[in-house]
Amino acid sequence: MEKRESFVQAVCKELIEDFLQFVQLDKDTSDPFSLNELLDELSRKQKEELWQRLKNLLTATLLESPVDRWQMVEVQGEDDMEVEHGFKMKNSIKIIHAITSVILASVSVISENSNFEALLECAVILNGILYALPESERKLQSSIQDLCVRWWEKGLPAKEDMGKTAFIMLLRKSLETKAGTDVCRIWRIHQALYCFDYDLEESRDIKDKLLECFISVNYIKKEEGRRFLSFLFNWNINFIKMIHDTIKNQLQGLQKSLMVHIAEIYFRAWKKASGKILETIENDCIQDFMFHGIHLPRKSPVHSKVREVLSYFHQQKLRQGVEEMLYRLYKPILWRGLKARNSEVRSNAALLFVEAFPIRDPNFSAMEMDSEIQKQFEELYSLLEDPYPMVRSIGILGVCKITCKYWEMMPPAILIDLLKKLIGELAFDTSSADVRCSVFKCLPIILDNKMSHPLLEQLFPGLRYSLHDNSEKVRVAFVDLLLKIKASRAAKFWKICPMEDILVRLEMDSRPVCRRLVNLIFTSFLPVNQPEEVWCERCVTLVQMNHAAARKFYQYACEYTACSNIAKLIHVIRQCLNACIQRAVHEHQETQEEQEKENETVLDKMLSVDDVASMAGLLEVIVILWKSIYRSLENNKEAKVFTINKFASVLPQYLKVFKDERCKIPLFILMSFMPASAVPLFSCGVISVLRNQEEGVAGRSYYTLLDCLCSWGQVGHILELIDDWLPEERPRAKSNMASKRKVQIHDTRPVKPELALVYMEYLLTHPKNRECLLSAPRKKLNHLLKALEMSKADLESLLQSPGEKSPNFSQVSALRAFSLHCRLSIHVQHKFCLEGKTHLSILEDAGFWLESKVLPLIRDQEEEHLKLQRDAYQQIIQTYLTVCKDVIMVGLGDVKFQTQLLQQSLGVMQAAPLFCSDPSS
């Protein structure tokens, strides 16, 4: 009792500190004092006395520190007088804030019998001073704003003015901040908008702020925000046009994902509207979207967003009144759009027609409904026969969507006719690959309806030859259709396209088609749910059916099964090869032969060591599978060691048995996957085999031998071999005594410079081998560059004296060596270039050599002689310019190099105009 009385008595100028102390205690969460509880316990008489005291204190405070001086004090300088006024203002605001807190708490305890005139006057005064508060007093502004909101929600006298204030303040705050709570709060008092007169000048600012809400992502994304925006359509009929124009102007900048929310705002506004407002929303907003959906160009950035809005309305067709509204609004513009002369307008109209089908008024009689549906089916047929491919494609989409959705309700004759039109005619539309592609992209839609499967199973075999369509995207779409048929079990895909056709296509087609074909036939040739022996049988079958297709199949197989299954298949094939070898070894023994006949397996009938093609195919499959899981094996050391040990134990025997060139290459590749120590006998003899190759007849197997040495880290042996075969720079002449004292050893082995260039080119061309090559010591690489640079002297000699033999290279070899010199110099200098030193200096030297040695020969020699040497000159210049072009294409040539190259090219054109013309002329 004493505390309540003390609190009421403290509300006066004399006991202001006690009053402020009470308010502070209420804010202190650790103190048990609660202002709300205290007010609730006050008697009616005490409440009225408290409110009267609050009014008196508020009036006295404002008289002592007038509002009109607050902004002045905030802006002016800090002289003594202003400091005093500033102190008074701060103290007054503190008191007003405390008063506001008590009034805010008092709103909830107002009862019907209470006399709250004094409290009303306080609320009106606080509402009046809100706009005069300095920007720094945000806490007080927020408290008064909360009071206005509470006053409006309580429905107390003067709620209109309080509601308007709260609405304006919350609206501004919600647009300035990104806090969703402000949007929720303004939705709570949205009815306060009706307190504003739309036609008054003072409402102009509120209109602008409300229009800003329609481009605020915060409002669009939040549920309460969308409710508020749809509510705004009902404020005034003239405001609807402003809203619609604002949204249309901002469509380009809005994210596409927000369009469903924009459509929802329009839909909610339409659902809640009536009378003239409903008519305006339909005619000025929804029908305007329909018009632009038909007439906007496809390339317009807002076309897809307009379609999103219309799609939302199409999806609401089952809601009451929507279907009738769509029929009524589309009627004046859609049918005209479908007959338009402009093909793009027709295609836009077709898209909307297909999406909204059937467009009808549910109030029609049965006869009117049948007539309308028949008319729309005729429109569908006309779309399929339109001269513009885009319209035909949309017609195909429409037929597939409509037949899937209304299969049970459509007459069988129309169903069959439409599907025959698609599968029998448009699937083979020679005038447009896009139309053919659309057929195969849209037919899977129909497969979603299981009732369509029996009819489609009869029609699909007619599509067999679409697998060989000359357009890649059509083939991709067709194989996707086969995958859908397989997944839905609508038909057997091999009855549509025989396996032989699929394998032929797999052998020759591009990656996108091959990946899908492998997915299609994967379970046929790698049935992971069956025993591993069956995997091997299917593998042999595939190799024997189509060798090249088998390679492609196992190249992509790792994408559709676990690496562990691939590893198992590798070892199953190894065991199969081992069994074949063992059978071949013992086949001369009669008893063994009889035993085998008794226990003969399927593989025994299919495979034999003498079947070289199958053996080579299986070895290639092992290589391809190993490559596909190479990284996984690197991460699984146990599996890697197991695989290497198993193959290391059998590879020597494989080399003895499989002597055909087709078998050797995959065997050599397999050895490159293993460390040299795993195959010691083979690894020791590789360099000898490479040395003994003959020039001009080296087979493909030498590539794999080079790969082996590179993978074993023995690229140095290759470089030594190349170095031995390439010409050396002639040493300067020494004294006779020095030459006599030096011991000279003559190597009797033949020198093979052409083969050295072949090896060098292979190393430089393949990325992994190039990395190994460039990992060699720089001194060795520089020595190679010097040896290759001698090709310049040989080319000069050949150009000056065509009949004479050059000392080091033939003409063809000299050109190849020159090209390798230029290319290798770029790689070497790019890797080892020092800061401030260009990595193109050797290439630039080659350019200067061209300008100083080759071009002068062209200028000085007679035309007849030049005609004889035309090919040589052309190849030298072309080799250099090609390398320079490649340098620029990979971004290594700076502006200086490009300028220099242009000057050199100009010099070539001026010195040799004959070489720049057509050789046939």
Side-chain angles (χ1 to χ4, degrees):
M1 180 70 76
E2 289 180 7
K3 200 161 196 175
R4 285 182 299 214
E5 191 63 36
S6 300
F7 175 70
V8 173
Q9 295 303 318
V11 183
C12 64
K13 201 69 178 171
E14 294 75 20
L15 300 173
I16 193 64
E17 290 302 325
D18 293 343
F19 173 62
L20 294 175
Q21 182 66 28
F22 272 114
V23 175
Q24 190 60 39
L25 286 173
D26 179 62
K27 293 177 182 177
D28 187 358
T29 53
S30 62
D31 194 281
F33 176 75
S34 170
L35 187 58
N36 289 324
E37 289 179 8
L38 186 141
L39 289 172
D40 200 39
E41 292 170 358
L42 291 176
S43 64
R44 183 169 62 85
K45 188 176 180 182
Q46 285 176 320
K47 288 176 187 175
E48 291 173 3
E49 182 185 354
L50 171 65
W51 296 336
Q52 187 62 45
R53 281 175 169 274
L54 286 171
K55 174 192 156 186
N56 296 338
L57 179 58
L58 177 61
T59 307
T61 304
L62 288 172
L63 287 172
E64 188 178 329
S65 177
V67 174
D68 55 0
R69 294 191 59 104
W70 289 357
Q71 295 287 350
M72 222 182 295
V73 170
E74 185 84 4
V75 174
Q76 287 176 356
E78 294 188 0
D79 55 40
D80 292 341
M81 188 175 291
E82 293 304 329
V83 168
E84 185 182 345
H85 283 305
F87 176 75
K88 282 185 179 180
M89 184 195 78
K90 294 283 184 188
N91 193 46
S92 298
I93 288 175
K94 190 176 179 182
I95 296 168
I96 293 169
H97 198 172
I99 294 169
T100 307
S101 299
V102 178
I103 294 172
L104 186 58
S106 298
V107 173
S108 59
V109 298
I110 296 174
S111 61
E112 293 180 3
N113 301 325
S114 302
N115 179 9
F116 57 92
E117 286 292 330
L119 191 66
L120 173 60
E121 288 185 43
C122 288
V124 171
I125 292 170
L126 290 171
N127 183 35
I129 68 169
L130 178 60
Y131 296 101
L133 290 174
E135 283 295 317
S136 57
E137 299 301 328
R138 292 194 176 274
K139 286 186 178 179
L140 178 55
Q141 287 178 351
S142 180
S143 294
I144 297 174
Q145 180 182 294
D146 290 343
L147 172 63
C148 293
V149 171
R150 193 80 61 83
W151 202 273
W152 165 266
E153 289 176 342
K154 191 79 172 175
L156 299 172
K159 71 169 188 175
E160 291 79 10
D161 291 335
M162 305 292 276
K164 286 168 73 173
T165 300
F167 190 88
I168 292 170
M169 297 298 288
L170 282 173
L171 185 61
R172 286 177 181 170
K173 192 177 178 184
S174 67
L175 291 170
E176 289 168 3
T177 64
K178 292 185 178 180
T181 52
D182 294 321
V183 176
C184 297
R185 291 178 73 191
I186 199 166
W187 167 245
R188 279 167 49 196
I189 62 164
H190 65 279
Q191 292 290 339
L193 177 63
Y194 290 124
C195 298
F196 295 91
D197 189 333
Y198 177 85
D199 297 317
L200 291 181
E201 186 67 22
E202 65 181 19
S203 297
R204 179 178 292 182
D205 182 57
I206 200 80
K207 290 178 197 173
D208 294 338
K209 292 293 179 187
L210 291 173
L211 292 175
E212 273 186 59
C213 296
F214 283 92
I215 57 175
S216 167
V217 175
N218 203 25
Y219 270 89
I220 295 170
K221 283 187 173 181
K222 199 153 187 69
E223 170 67 19
E224 289 82 2
R226 295 194 293 276
R227 288 180 184 175
F228 178 71
L229 295 179
S230 62
F231 158 75
L232 295 181
F233 281 81
N234 288 303
W235 184 29
N236 188 283
I237 196 167
N238 298 317
F239 195 50
I240 297 171
K241 183 78 167 59
M242 294 174 70
I243 292 171
H244 187 58
D245 288 343
T246 301
I247 292 174
K248 283 202 301 181
N249 291 336
Q250 296 300 320
L251 277 181
Q252 187 169 348
L254 287 174
Q255 297 173 9
K256 196 174 179 181
S257 59
L258 295 177
M259 293 315 300
V260 67
H261 297 319
I262 296 291
E264 183 187 340
I265 291 164
Y266 276 101
F267 184 75
R268 282 180 170 178
W270 174 80
K271 281 292 288 179
K272 291 182 180 179
S274 59
K276 289 286 184 183
I277 288 180
L278 175 62
E279 189 179 324
T280 304
I281 292 173
E282 287 183 349
N283 296 333
D284 292 354
C285 302
I286 300 172
Q287 197 170 54
D288 186 52
F289 276 129
M290 290 174 173
F291 179 85
H292 285 97
I294 292 171
H295 292 91
L296 271 175
R298 283 286 176 92
K299 292 181 180 178
S300 167
V302 300
H303 178 266
S304 61
K305 296 174 181 178
V306 170
R307 275 203 52 229
E308 285 286 327
V309 174
L310 293 172
S311 294
Y312 185 89
F313 277 87
H314 298 158
Q315 291 161 15
Q316 309 300 320
K317 281 178 70 176
L318 297 178
R319 304 279 289 272
Q320 186 179 356
V322 177
E323 197 169 21
E324 183 275 331
M325 178 267 290
L326 289 174
Y327 173 79
R328 182 163 36 83
L329 298 184
Y330 268 132
K331 190 174 181 180
I333 53 176
L334 182 62
W335 312 118
R336 191 184 303 166
L338 290 169
K339 303 295 182 187
R341 300 181 70 178
N342 185 301
S343 58
E344 194 167 14
V345 171
R346 289 202 309 279
S347 69
N348 290 341
L351 206 55
L352 294 178
F353 167 60
V354 164
E355 196 174 78
F357 182 93
I359 303 170
R360 60 185 181 176
D361 186 345
N363 300 318
F364 277 159
S365 64
M367 189 177 293
E368 288 174 323
M369 191 72 79
D370 288 345
S371 173
E372 188 63 38
I373 296 297
Q374 183 59 38
K375 173 189 167 186
Q376 292 182 30
F377 272 125
E378 288 169 7
E379 289 291 348
L380 205 55
Y381 276 105
S382 66
L383 293 180
L384 297 177
E385 295 173 354
D386 194 278
Y388 186 50
M390 176 67 80
V391 179
R392 295 204 297 279
S393 296
I394 294 167
I396 292 164
L397 175 66
V399 167
C400 293
K401 280 187 172 182
I402 292 163
T403 51
C404 175
K405 193 172 182 180
Y406 302 105
W407 185 276
E408 303 94 306
M409 293 180 276
M410 288 175 67
I414 292 178
L415 270 175
I416 294 169
D417 198 29
L418 284 171
L419 292 177
K420 281 185 176 178
K421 182 78 175 172
L422 260 61
I423 295 171
E425 294 181 31
L426 294 171
F428 304 98
D429 189 333
T430 55
S431 65
S432 172
D434 288 334
V435 172
R436 301 196 301 275
C437 190
S438 295
V439 172
F440 301 127
K441 280 187 173 181
C442 297
L443 280 174
I445 297 171
I446 306 178
L447 288 169
D448 289 333
N449 189 324
K450 291 188 177 181
M451 296 183 72
S452 68
H453 294 182
L455 177 57
L456 290 174
E457 189 175 9
Q458 297 173 35
L459 298 174
F460 277 150
L463 298 173
R464 169 180 178 176
Y465 296 107
S466 296
L467 183 63
H468 304 289
D469 197 284
N470 58 9
S471 169
E472 183 191 68
K473 65 181 178 182
V474 176
R475 296 196 302 275
V476 166
F478 179 69
V479 180
D480 282 337
L481 171 62
L482 291 178
L483 285 166
K484 177 71 175 181
I485 290 169
K486 180 185 175 184
S488 62
R489 299 182 180 181
K492 306 294 185 186
F493 71 86
W494 57 85
K495 289 185 178 179
I496 301 168
C497 283
M499 191 61 75
E500 291 76 12
D501 287 16
I502 293 173
L503 294 180
V504 167
R505 202 71 245 170
L506 179 59
E507 174 187 349
M508 65 177 68
D509 221 321
S510 59
R511 176 179 169 82
V513 181
C514 287
R515 287 179 67 251
R516 289 167 169 82
L517 287 173
V518 169
N519 189 14
L520 180 68
I521 63 174
F522 185 80
T523 52
S524 300
F525 292 104
L526 189 51
V528 291
N529 295 326
Q530 295 191 33
E532 292 167 14
E533 291 75 17
V534 179
W535 303 4
C536 192
E537 290 171 14
R538 301 288 176 87
C539 177
V540 172
T541 303
L542 181 55
V543 167
Q544 291 177 347
M545 285 177 73
N546 190 313
H547 191 183
R551 285 201 293 255
K552 281 281 189 76
F553 176 84
Y554 290 108
Q555 181 182 340
Y556 297 111
C558 62
E559 297 182 20
Y560 301 103
T561 189
C563 292
S564 57
N565 287 333
I566 299 294
K568 285 178 188 175
L569 180 58
I570 290 172
H571 290 293
V572 169
I573 297 172
R574 174 182 58 77
Q575 291 164 3
C576 176
L577 292 172
N578 292 348
C580 287
I581 293 170
Q582 291 300 320
R583 193 165 59 251
V585 169
H586 298 295
E587 66 180 359
H588 65 279
Q589 298 177 8
E590 189 176 349
T591 55
Q592 181 68 23
E593 198 172 281
E594 288 173 5
Q595 186 182 349
E596 284 188 359
K597 283 179 181 176
E598 290 172 10
N599 303 318
E600 200 169 33
T601 64
V602 176
L603 282 175
D604 294 336
K605 295 176 184 177
M606 296 170 66
L607 272 182
S608 167
V609 172
D610 298 329
D611 185 357
V612 175
S614 295
M615 294 294 109
L618 290 173
L619 289 169
E620 285 176 2
V621 168
I622 291 174
V623 169
I624 291 165
L625 292 172
W626 196 326
K627 272 186 179 177
S628 70
I629 61 166
Y630 189 81
R631 288 185 180 177
S632 299
L633 284 176
E634 288 296 316
N635 297 327
N636 189 337
K637 297 297 181 186
E638 187 180 344
K640 182 182 177 182
V641 170
F642 175 79
T643 305
I644 288 172
N645 290 341
K646 286 293 181 183
F647 275 94
S649 64
V650 296
L651 279 176
Q653 192 176 13
Y654 286 4
L655 284 171
K656 290 178 184 177
V657 176
F658 306 129
K659 294 182 179 179
D660 191 274
E661 184 77 8
R662 287 174 292 176
C663 295
K664 280 185 178 180
I665 292 170
L667 285 173
F668 292 164
I669 296 173
L670 276 175
M671 293 185 189
S672 73
F673 294 158
M674 299 186 281
S677 58
V679 281
L681 291 175
F682 174 77
S683 60
C684 293
V686 171
I687 200 69
S688 177
V689 174
L690 288 171
R691 187 183 292 279
N692 293 329
Q693 290 278 349
E694 292 184 22
E695 283 189 308
V697 294
R700 283 184 57 207
S701 60
Y702 85 84
Y703 293 139
T704 52
L705 294 175
L706 291 172
D707 291 337
C708 285
L709 290 173
C710 287
S711 65
W712 295 336
Q714 296 178 8
V715 73
H717 296 327
I718 307 173
L719 294 183
E720 285 176 14
L721 182 60
I722 293 171
D723 198 37
D724 290 344
W725 285 346
L726 288 178
E728 291 186 15
E729 192 175 1
R730 293 175 186 175
R732 295 178 184 176
K734 295 183 179 180
S735 63
N736 290 335
M737 290 297 293
S739 62
K740 283 178 185 178
R741 286 196 299 271
K742 187 175 181 181
V743 178
Q744 295 183 354
I745 299 172
H746 295 283
D747 192 349
T748 57
R749 290 178 295 189
V751 176
K752 303 172 184 176
E754 290 183 13
L755 193 56
L757 296 175
V758 170
Y759 289 174
M760 188 71 200
E761 188 164 31
Y762 182 76
L763 292 179
L764 202 57
T765 306
H766 292 75
K768 286 186 178 179
N769 294 342
R770 183 168 60 243
E771 286 179 21
C772 297
L773 172 65
L774 295 175
S775 66
R778 186 173 183 181
K779 186 176 180 182
K780 219 171 221 181
L781 294 172
N782 286 338
H783 193 270
L784 271 177
L785 282 170
K786 285 184 180 179
L788 292 169
E789 192 177 15
M790 295 185 69
S791 60
K792 292 181 187 177
D794 283 15
L795 289 171
E796 282 183 56
S797 173
L798 287 166
L799 293 175
Q800 289 171 347
S801 308
E804 293 183 14
K805 186 178 179 182
S806 59
N808 302 308
F809 297 105
S810 65
Q811 180 174 323
V812 174
S813 297
L815 283 165
R816 181 180 252 178
F818 176 60
S819 173
L820 287 171
H821 169 70
C822 294
R823 288 157 59 192
L824 181 60
S825 70
I826 296 163
H827 289 295
V828 171
Q829 289 200 304
H830 184 255
K831 181 175 181 182
F832 295 106
C833 69
L834 301 172
E835 193 174 340
K837 206 170 184 183
T838 176
H839 50 268
L840 300 174
S841 58
I842 295 178
L843 188 62
E844 289 171 351
D845 291 343
F848 295 139
W849 169 77
L850 193 73
E851 286 182 317
S852 60
K853 299 291 184 180
V854 178
L855 294 185
L857 287 174
I858 296 174
R859 295 191 195 98
D860 297 342
Q861 289 182 355
E862 296 178 1
E863 189 173 332
E864 291 299 321
H865 179 79
L866 285 175
K867 284 183 179 178
L868 294 173
Q869 293 294 96
R870 176 183 183 132
D871 287 345
Y873 281 115
Q874 271 189 338
Q875 286 172 358
I876 293 169
I877 295 167
Q878 188 175 348
T879 298
Y880 173 73
L881 292 178
T882 301
V883 174
C884 291
K885 177 204 72 173
D886 293 341
V887 166
I888 292 170
M889 285 182 70
V890 298
L892 292 177
D894 56 13
V895 176
K896 181 184 175 184
F897 178 79
Q898 293 175 30
T899 306
Q900 187 177 304
L901 179 61
L902 286 172
Q903 290 172 349
Q904 289 170 346
S905 302
L906 184 61
V908 169
M909 293 171 70
Q910 291 171 345
L914 181 68
F915 301 153
C916 298
S917 61
D918 185 3
S920 62
S921 60

